[in-house]
Amino acid sequence: MMSHGPETLLLDLFAIFLAAKLMGELLERVRVPAVLGEILAGVALGPYALGWIHPSDTITSLAEIGAIFVLFNAGLETSSGDLIRVGKTALLVALAGVFFPFLLGFGYMKLIGDLTTESVFVGAAMVATSVGITARVLADLDVLSSELAKIIMGAAVFDDILGMVMLAVVAGLADTGGVEWVHLGVLVVEAAAFALFMILVAPHIVRKMHAGVERLSTRNAPLLVALAICLLLSWVAARIGMAGIIGAFFAGLMFADLAPRWNLLPKAHAINEFLAPFFFFSIGAHLNLKLFTGGVLKTALVITALAIVSKVVGCGLPVAKRGWHTILGVGVGMMPRGEVALIVALAGLNAQIVSESNFAIVVFMTAVTTILAPPILRCLLREEREAAASSR
Amino acid sequence: MMSHGPETLLLDLFAIFLAAKLMGELLERVRVPAVLGEILAGVALGPYALGWIHPSDTITSLAEIGAIFVLFNAGLETSSGDLIRVGKTALLVALAGVFFPFLLGFGYMKLIGDLTTESVFVGAAMVATSVGITARVLADLDVLSSELAKIIMGAAVFDDILGMVMLAVVAGLADTGGVEWVHLGVLVVEAAAFALFMILVAPHIVRKMHAGVERLSTRNAPLLVALAICLLLSWVAARIGMAGIIGAFFAGLMFADLAPRWNLLPKAHAINEFLAPFFFFSIGAHLNLKLFTGGVLKTALVITALAIVSKVVGCGLPVAKRGWHTILGVGVGMMPRGEVALIVALAGLNAQIVSESNFAIVVFMTAVTTILAPPILRCLLREEREAAASSR
């Protein structure tokens, strides 16, 4: 009489978690970011390949909660104080790195006759650099303190926020089911206002309430307050027509300055380690590799090429007078797309506003840019690496 | 077109998390264990009172995963090495503290004409002392190093394991829908074998594989391996007819010795902090306070009285020759029931093998014993407290 449910749920949880982490470990060993392994696990075990796991409603919900924690963590690792200090160059790099990829992606999709909504989706997914992957590579190379790395990191963070604004717009589009320019304008203003409020005002609110939080009797009160606000802002963001994860990102940003004092990072990471694999696995499980033939494969390759060129050119432009080394370093550093692109894609697919082929194209583009960036960056930054090593 | 689902899910997550933690904080301030606040939040907002939140399938699944982490944490804080060393007194206290409550609970329920299965359920729920609450009170009083505290803690841990075995039997009963004595025997042997294997053999396996785990390339590999094994053992336990959480408890036990070296506790706690409230809230949401009239209220009061008396007498018996102070100290220290009783109750309710009234009776008994134990213990242990203070 014990229902069949819990047992199946437990098996699904175990199989997904194990497969994702095993594939992650394998790829990590050949120096490919682990997140791609988690996606591949989903491709392999999901309904389009082996068909062992058909994500249930619960798994889909866990994936959504996982995406929220991925973005909460990204925000937590981004200091809004640094953002304000980081200077014009990084902001210009970020703006150009958003404008060119979106324009090229959107333009090409329209050119080959796609719908405006679909084209906006693909363009938006090409925008956001993965702060996580870039930071990881720079840290592995031990060059985080170099001038180049500072520009890249600053730009990647701004770029993430711009990506969030794009995502808000995309989620808003999904709501209305098409492009209405007035509505679009409202969304852009709304998203920008939300972003500015969260960057400029929210950290002060946190600073004001921090003594109160530390006086609470509950164990781990700071973590609990941060989690509650993360859930609240996720809901608020979804409620006013943006994507929930935007709220999660800004909730993280709000607590970034207090994270070391409250030791939030290892704790938020732990929750993330458990939940994020369900998100990345779901991405893979939605990916139909059989779609990659003829036209779709061609489009995927073109979009990927555009995603690479547009970031290198776009991000290189504002630093053009610093010479080729800097242009290429910044451009390649900004190349890897990541979680944000995938979240844009999955949101679009679930809202049935992006086709399976365009979903597959976005995931392909994300995977290729993420795989290519680390080795190229490793070659390009040899100079900085030697300088860092000899200064010790 | 963005479906209504994610928004509702986010609101539910936020409301449940906030309500549970707020009520926890309030009760914590008047020195009542926070877990009761989380349950009360469920009672208040759940379908039987305000009716604001009707737990969805996703919330129910999150509650199940939450229960798994509650037990994983309990296991992680229990060293199997300590268990083997702790000696005869603690084991005798634990055995007597299991035997008497079960006998009295089962006997009384049969006496008033309940079904055998229901009576077994109520008896089983009266067995397990909450290690968490007892340890918390003893630590708050700063008497953890006293002889009395050592007996209580050792017994509480054994008692938890015996409670797990009882739970395995109960879950097995739920499967077959009634008491078959042969089946019952098989289950007891199975559960005992599982427990012995996990206490005596599994920690050696972990010790053998620990160098390998530390060589893995994945960040946080020890946590991930522990989580994977937790999910695996939960599924195995459910598969062979016990409750999933038993596997989770033993998975925690397996890693208890390595937990400090791998810094597992704060990380497992963080996951627990996020997921456990959904479990305790669910408990409350299933509780119909309107049932507490006439016969049910009387039974609840009698069962609670029996739960108190049987622990004090049962656990006091093996230490009888040490005098009243020790008898009462050990007895009251073993009094608070907790998570395990609630999990037994919810498992029974979900399997439709325990009635809503008996579920309500078990939750009532758990709440009262948990509320009463800390203040009584505080009075009783004044002597130990002064000794501990003057020795500093």
Side-chain angles (χ1 to χ4, degrees), chain A residues 60-69 224 227-235 275, chain B residues 5-21 45 52-63 273-275 277-279 281:
Chain A
T60 305
S61 298
L62 276 182
E64 274 166 31
I65 304 173
I68 282 180
F69 277 97
L224 298 176
L227 289 179
I229 289 182
C230 170
L231 293 173
L232 170 65
L233 289 182
S234 301
W235 172 68
L275 292 173
Chain B
E7 205 184 302
T8 317
L9 173 64
L10 288 170
L11 182 57
D12 277 0
L13 290 177
F14 170 64
I16 293 175
F17 191 81
L18 183 73
K21 290 301 175 185
L45 301 189
W52 291 355
I53 293 173
H54 294 254
S56 62
D57 285 353
T58 297
I59 299 295
T60 305
S61 298
L62 276 182
E273 296 280 10
F274 177 59
L275 292 173
F278 299 101
F279 169 63
F281 186 96

Side-chain angles (χ1 to χ4, degrees), chain B residues 70-371:
Chain B
V70 170
L71 271 288
F72 180 64
N73 266 276
L76 217 46
E77 289 177 349
T78 309
S79 159
S80 58
D82 278 357
L83 282 188
I84 296 166
R85 277 190 297 275
V86 85
K88 225 175 60 181
T89 311
L91 185 56
L92 284 178
V93 168
L95 280 172
V98 165
F99 181 74
F100 284 88
F102 181 78
L103 199 73
L104 288 183
F106 176 80
Y108 181 75
M109 295 308 284
K110 280 298 278 184
L111 197 76
I112 62 171
D114 255 299
L115 294 171
T116 305
T117 341
E118 298 251 356
S119 309
V120 169
F121 258 97
V122 174
M126 288 167 71
V127 160
T129 295
S130 161
V131 183
I133 290 166
T134 304
R136 187 74 182 281
V137 174
L138 295 173
D140 281 356
L141 298 178
D142 208 3
V143 296
L144 267 175
S145 57
S146 70
E147 170 79 7
L148 196 57
K150 279 183 187 158
I151 297 176
I152 296 176
M153 285 307 298
V157 165
F158 274 123
D159 171 289
D160 242 22
I161 292 174
L162 291 170
M164 287 290 123
V165 174
M166 293 291 310
L167 178 55
V169 171
V170 165
L173 289 183
D175 248 351
T176 57
V179 183
E180 292 168 25
W181 296 102
V182 176
H183 182 69
L184 191 66
V186 171
L187 265 175
V188 170
V189 171
E190 204 176 61
F194 190 39
L196 284 177
F197 176 83
M198 292 307 297
I199 296 170
L200 300 175
V201 183
H204 295 282
I205 300 176
V206 173
R207 233 164 286 140
K208 284 235 168 109
M209 69 187 212
H210 101 256
V213 169
E214 288 176 4
R215 267 198 307 274
L216 291 175
S217 309
T218 305
R219 227 176 10 151
N220 262 332
L223 175 69
L224 298 176
V225 170
L227 289 178
I229 288 181
C230 170
L231 294 173
L232 171 65
L233 288 183
S234 301
W235 171 68
V236 168
R239 191 77 192 77
I240 63 177
M242 304 198 282
I245 51 160
I246 300 170
F249 177 80
F250 285 121
L253 200 62
M254 215 172 138
F255 288 95
D257 289 335
L258 277 165
R261 181 186 167 99
W262 285 348
N263 201 22
L264 289 180
L265 274 178
K267 291 170 190 167
H269 276 161
I271 301 176
N272 200 28
E273 296 280 10
F274 177 59
L275 292 173
F278 299 101
F279 169 63
F280 293 115
F281 186 96
S282 286
I283 295 279
H286 282 95
L287 189 62
N288 187 354
L289 288 185
K290 295 191 191 90
L291 287 175
F292 286 115
T293 52
V296 174
L297 184 61
K298 196 188 130 209
T299 311
L301 289 170
V302 173
I303 283 292
T304 305
L306 290 179
I308 295 173
V309 171
S310 62
K311 275 285 178 188
V312 176
V313 173
C315 299
L317 221 55
V319 291
K321 53 184 170 196
R322 301 191 191 204
W324 280 108
H325 179 74
T326 307
I327 294 177
L328 286 176
V330 169
V332 176
M334 299 290 289
M335 205 171 90
R337 311 308 197 275
E339 304 81 348
V340 177
L342 296 175
I343 289 170
V344 170
L346 197 57
L349 189 69
N350 285 339
Q352 293 176 307
I353 208 139
V354 73
S355 65
E356 280 196 358
S357 335
N358 284 340
F359 172 77
I361 289 167
V362 167
V363 177
F364 181 87
M365 177 275 294
T366 306
V368 174
T369 53
T370 305
I371 292 171

Side-chain angles (χ1 to χ4, degrees), chain A residues 216-229:
Chain A
L216 291 175
S217 309
T218 305
R219 228 177 8 153
N220 260 332
L223 175 69
L224 298 176
V225 170
L227 289 179
I229 289 182

Side-chain angles (χ1 to χ4, degrees), chain A residues 211-270:
Chain A
V213 169
E214 287 175 6
R215 267 198 307 272
L216 291 175
S217 309
T218 305
R219 228 177 8 153
N220 260 332
L223 175 69
L224 298 176
V225 170
L227 289 179
I229 289 182
C230 170
L231 293 173
L232 170 65
L233 289 182
S234 301
W235 172 68
V236 168
R239 191 78 192 74
I240 62 175
M242 305 197 281
I245 51 159
I246 299 170
F249 177 79
F250 284 122
L253 200 61
M254 216 173 138
F255 288 94
D257 289 335
L258 277 165
R261 180 186 167 99
W262 285 349
N263 202 21
L264 291 179
L265 274 178
K267 291 170 190 165
H269 275 161

Side-chain angles (χ1 to χ4, degrees), chain A residues 95-153:
Chain A
L95 280 172
V98 164
F99 181 73
F100 284 87
F102 181 77
L103 199 73
L104 288 183
F106 175 80
Y108 181 75
M109 295 308 284
K110 280 297 279 184
L111 197 76
I112 62 171
D114 255 299
L115 293 172
T116 304
T117 341
E118 298 252 354
S119 309
V120 170
F121 257 99
V122 174
M126 288 167 72
V127 161
T129 294
S130 160
V131 183
I133 290 167
T134 303
R136 188 75 183 280
V137 174
L138 294 174
D140 281 355
L141 298 178
D142 208 4
V143 295
L144 266 176
S145 57
S146 70
E147 170 79 8
L148 196 56
K150 280 184 185 156
I151 297 176
I152 295 175
M153 285 306 298

